[in-house]
Amino acid sequence: MSDSKFFLFRFMIAYRRFILQKEISNMFQPYRNLNLLVKRCFTSSVTRLAYRDVTKDHPVIVGSKQLRKLLQEHVGAKKFWLENIAELSNIDAERAKKQEDLVPRSSKDSVQEVIIPLGSDLVQREKYLTFYNTVRFGKLLEDLDTLAGWVGFKYFKGPTERAPFSLVTACVDKINLQENTISSTEDIKLTGFISWAGRTSLEITSYVDQFDPETGTWKRLSDAVFVMVARSLKDGSATFVNKFVPTNDEEKKFFEQGELNVIERKRKSAESLFKQAPTAEERNLIHQMFLGSLDPSKSTFSRRVKPDNTVWMEYTRLKNLLICHPQARNLYNKIFGGFLMREAFELAWANTCTHIKSRPTVIAMDDVMFRKPVEVGSLLYLSSEIVYSKDTYLLTRVHAEVVDPKTGDIDTTNVFYFHFTSKKEFPQVAPMSYGEYMLYLDGLRHANALRIPEVTN
């Protein structure tokens, strides 16, 4: 054998050995030692045993894609844009004339569990992954909104299998995070059920749990409360849903809490700063803050001085513009509410991050109001602003406006509130104008409602 052929032969052997070693290394990359490999084997079997639905007649749904597919099939929506408008509007005549025409239902008729298999499905994990190697909170918001719709349709029972109405997200009362960091390497379980029902609206309580391989159990990460309303597919008018009749003490407790939630929403609406003047205590607070921003050497109210370690509120704004393409539509050809929440959260997170110059931690989201549907083809303006802060706590408000590109008309569609904390100190927010003082008080009310420690000024 010539020297050149011998060299080529040795090179091919070495190259094949290199490729083989690389393939073996990639195969075992997630398991850097034997103990972790064994641990994974055992926890996988435990995880499968834990995947039992609380209802006997419906299996656990695995993956958000499967959840959306089932929801799409159930309501009869088509896969492609504009295909299903005529067909869906035809079933509007089948809706109930009064609530008494529908059989009563309870929580057990609606319970659904969904597994997001981050621990075993690398493709799924990639879609939920942040650059911090944690889970994108915005993606979970999309999944929770989809789950709320599925649970609502599962609760309905009428003369036809397909509900003769659409379910629209009216508001998100709250989403509290009990864990600051969500692992990207363990499965997540979403659980949702109807906890209250009125004549045309539903309250859905949802839980987010993550599998803990150390204990072989699910650990609670978050709880959420959504409110969905039933609307006619033809003209958008209110449509009746099944009456809620509790069947045990637990369901009765949830229903009573739902009644209190309705009262609380009405109270907040009546006492809104858009309708009522600030309280005497709030007026005194903002007056003291205003005096603290005046130049003591000048006898004038027009010379403002920024207090130490603060930043004027107007410099905490960050905006975004979205073109609402059909890809982001829901089952009824409006822009998907979960998409709006994800975009709003990611803008709020980015704004908060640039303000505190570090990584913020989201701890809650509340009082998200869906005032009007967002049409496909609209221009969506998202404006975020840090409206309140104290110590290491911040509240970022996102205001969503939709612009009709044909007429130029502008309407407010959503308002979002995101609560964050920081591990490092940052400049506190200081309002300057009267409107900013109102935003500050609005933020203070939300912080107090969330019972943030030592928030009250």
Side-chain angles (χ1 to χ4, degrees), residues 90-276:
N90 288 336
I91 67 172
D92 181 75
E94 301 169 356
R95 60 179 176 157
K97 304 302 180 185
K98 55 183 183 296
Q99 191 178 41
E100 290 70 24
D101 292 340
L102 301 171
V103 297
R105 303 282 273 171
S106 65
S107 295
K108 62 182 176 60
D109 299 310
S110 64
V111 180
Q112 182 65 60
E113 291 181 353
V114 179
I115 301 298
I116 311 297
L118 303 184
S120 56
D121 191 331
L122 298 182
V123 176
Q124 285 274 338
R125 184 190 301 175
E126 188 77 11
K127 296 178 181 178
Y128 286 79
L129 203 59
T130 71
F131 49 84
Y132 289 112
N133 202 33
T134 57
V135 171
R136 293 171 61 187
F137 179 62
K139 288 289 291 181
L140 291 181
L141 292 178
E142 288 186 320
D143 292 342
L144 286 172
D145 194 43
T146 304
L147 176 62
W150 171 254
V151 167
F153 283 119
K154 191 174 177 181
Y155 172 82
F156 173 78
K157 186 175 183 180
T160 58
E161 182 178 355
R162 182 191 301 181
F165 52 75
S166 64
L167 279 179
V168 181
T169 307
C171 76
V172 182
D173 259 5
K174 62 175 182 177
I175 298 180
N176 295 323
L177 276 80
Q178 301 175 21
E179 288 290 325
N180 292 336
T181 303
I182 304 176
S183 172
S184 61
T185 59
E186 300 298 340
D187 292 356
I188 290 176
K189 177 174 69 173
L190 309 179
T191 306
F193 57 91
I194 300 297
S195 51
W196 175 89
R199 296 180 66 81
T200 62
S201 58
L202 302 169
E203 181 185 273
I204 296 92
T205 296
S206 303
Y207 298 122
V208 181
D209 300 279
Q210 187 158 50
F211 188 74
D212 185 352
E214 298 293 335
T215 62
T217 59
W218 295 97
K219 184 178 182 181
R220 180 62 42 84
L221 300 180
S222 174
D223 58 273
V225 175
F226 284 71
V227 177
M228 311 286 285
V229 291
R231 291 291 181 260
S232 164
L233 292 165
K234 187 175 183 179
D235 56 16
S237 58
T239 303
F240 294 110
V241 296
N242 299 77
K243 183 179 180 180
F244 186 96
V245 177
T247 58
N248 53 48
D249 291 341
E250 185 179 18
E251 289 185 351
K252 184 178 180 181
K253 182 179 178 180
F254 275 112
F255 184 79
E256 291 173 348
Q257 182 59 51
E259 294 280 274
L260 295 177
N261 291 341
V262 173
I263 296 173
E264 180 65 10
R265 284 192 290 270
K266 291 180 179 178
R267 183 193 66 79
K268 287 182 178 180
S269 177
E271 296 178 359
S272 167
L273 291 169
F274 288 102
K275 300 177 180 179
Q276 298 287 338

Side-chain angles (χ1 to χ4, degrees), residues 68-69 71-88 162 326 329-333:
R68 287 191 293 272
K69 180 181 178 182
L71 184 56
Q72 184 182 54
E73 293 174 351
H74 180 74
V75 302
K78 301 300 182 182
K79 184 177 181 180
F80 299 106
W81 167 238
L82 293 180
E83 276 191 341
N84 59 325
I85 289 181
E87 179 182 346
L88 290 176
R162 182 191 301 181
R329 73 190 186 280
N330 62 14
L331 300 169
Y332 303 101
N333 294 321

Side-chain angles (χ1 to χ4, degrees), residues 302-453:
S302 61
R303 186 70 61 87
R304 305 291 295 276
V305 178
K306 184 170 65 68
D308 294 338
N309 192 34
T310 64
V311 60
W312 293 121
M313 186 182 293
E314 63 177 324
Y315 296 116
T316 67
R317 295 173 187 160
L318 186 63
K319 298 183 179 182
N320 192 12
L321 170 64
L322 300 175
I323 302 175
C324 298
H325 294 293
Q327 183 182 10
R329 73 190 186 280
N330 62 14
L331 300 169
Y332 303 101
N333 294 321
K334 309 294 183 182
I335 296 300
F336 175 42
F339 168 80
L340 298 175
M341 287 192 287
R342 175 172 63 82
E343 292 291 343
F345 167 73
E346 292 182 351
L347 177 63
W349 188 93
N351 189 11
T352 307
C353 181
T354 56
H355 176 68
I356 66 178
K357 304 296 189 296
S358 66
R359 175 185 175 184
T361 300
V362 59
I363 57 174
M365 164 183 168
D366 69 341
D367 280 357
V368 176
M369 304 300 297
F370 291 80
R371 303 174 188 273
K372 292 184 178 181
V374 178
E375 301 290 340
V376 172
S378 301
L379 301 179
L380 184 66
Y381 288 113
L382 295 176
S383 178
S384 69
E385 190 170 17
I386 301 173
V387 297
Y388 180 83
S389 67
K390 184 175 178 62
D391 300 329
T392 60
Y393 165 81
L394 309 90
L395 176 62
T396 303
R397 181 180 186 267
V398 179
H399 182 247
E401 293 178 312
V402 67
V403 181
D404 187 329
K406 296 180 180 179
T407 64
D409 294 338
I410 301 176
D411 285 313
T412 296
T413 57
N414 307 84
V415 179
F416 306 86
Y417 295 89
F418 299 100
H419 304 255
F420 295 95
T421 59
S422 171
K423 292 184 178 179
K424 60 182 292 187
E425 296 181 353
F426 55 84
Q428 301 297 302
V429 173
M432 179 179 283
S433 66
Y434 186 80
E436 289 177 351
Y437 277 110
M438 294 302 99
L439 288 174
Y440 184 89
L441 290 180
D442 187 39
L444 175 61
R445 290 181 178 184
H446 279 83
N448 286 333
L450 199 64
R451 296 180 176 87
I452 301 296

